[in-house]
Amino acid sequence: RHASPGRGVFLGVCFGVFFTLTCNYWLGTFSLVSLLVTIVIFTALYLLFMTPAVLLYRAFSGTGNLQAAARFLSLPAAWTAFDYLRSGGFIGFPWGMLGLTQYGFLPLIQIASITGVWGVSFIVLLVNSGLAESLAARLHDGRPFRFAPAVAAASVFALAIAWGQFALAASTRAPASRPPID
């Protein structure tokens, strides 16, 4: 939040490369060259992603409610767009998307029937961003706790869970019984 844009990009690329290494460690058992190529490709991809993402986040550095709302939405939206772009096409690489971590949380992942895994990723990122934005106002900026981002994220999360519960209940209902056809 308070890092320079260059440091923000550097930290983001380091995180991305570490994340890629932890998700793709198995490539090293196949061939160290394939793991190295993957790391080089993802270093370039994270550099291309982090530069505009950090600049977008920094563009909303004001203390007003509109800037806070845009800042709170900017990184989840950017990360979701990045996951979407990197997972498609001829050289798509859909492994390691954040939404895949929620596979066991059935009410939440029902939203994927509408949004795909990217909607699940967005909700997870939005909740984290809302908490981070709310806490950062108090802990790092010395301003009062900002409830709006956390409440907005919790509301989206609750709506997704409600939709998921409804979808699960609808799918488990037995079809109406009909008399046998003679």
Side-chain angles (χ1 to χ4, degrees):
R1 184 171 184 144
H2 296 287
S4 68
R7 183 160 170 78
V9 170
F10 173 75
L11 292 173
V13 171
C14 287
F15 169 79
V17 170
F18 179 74
F19 181 73
T20 301
L21 277 171
T22 58
C23 289
N24 299 293
Y25 69 91
W26 57 272
L27 287 172
T29 63
F30 172 70
S31 168
L32 288 178
V33 173
S34 62
L35 183 60
L36 181 62
V37 168
T38 302
I39 291 168
V40 169
I41 290 170
F42 270 86
T43 299
L45 286 176
Y46 278 107
L47 186 60
L48 288 173
F49 161 67
M50 285 307 298
T51 302
V54 166
L55 293 175
L56 177 67
Y57 183 82
R58 300 281 294 183
F60 304 115
S61 61
T63 59
N65 288 334
L66 186 60
Q67 289 91 353
R71 188 172 49 245
F72 147 69
L73 291 170
S74 66
L75 288 179
W79 188 324
T80 303
F82 175 69
D83 271 355
Y84 179 78
L85 292 172
R86 78 175 176 93
S87 67
F90 178 69
I91 59 169
F93 195 81
W95 293 275
M97 288 190 284
L98 195 56
L100 298 175
T101 64
Q102 302 303 306
Y103 71 92
F105 192 6
L106 293 181
L108 179 61
I109 65 172
Q110 299 309 304
I111 199 75
S113 66
I114 299 169
T115 64
V117 68
W118 306 284
V120 179
S121 292
F122 181 76
I123 291 170
V124 170
L125 290 161
L126 190 69
V127 168
N128 284 282
S129 180
L131 291 173
E133 185 64 33
S134 294
L135 290 172
R138 178 72 182 133
L139 298 175
H140 295 288
D141 300 341
R143 294 190 321 255
F145 186 82
R146 191 181 294 264
F147 288 99
V151 169
S155 299
V156 171
F157 181 74
L159 285 172
I161 297 299
W163 163 256
Q165 292 289 30
F166 172 77
L168 286 171
S171 70
T172 58
R173 286 189 203 124
S177 62
R178 298 183 193 159
I181 300 174
D182 290 329

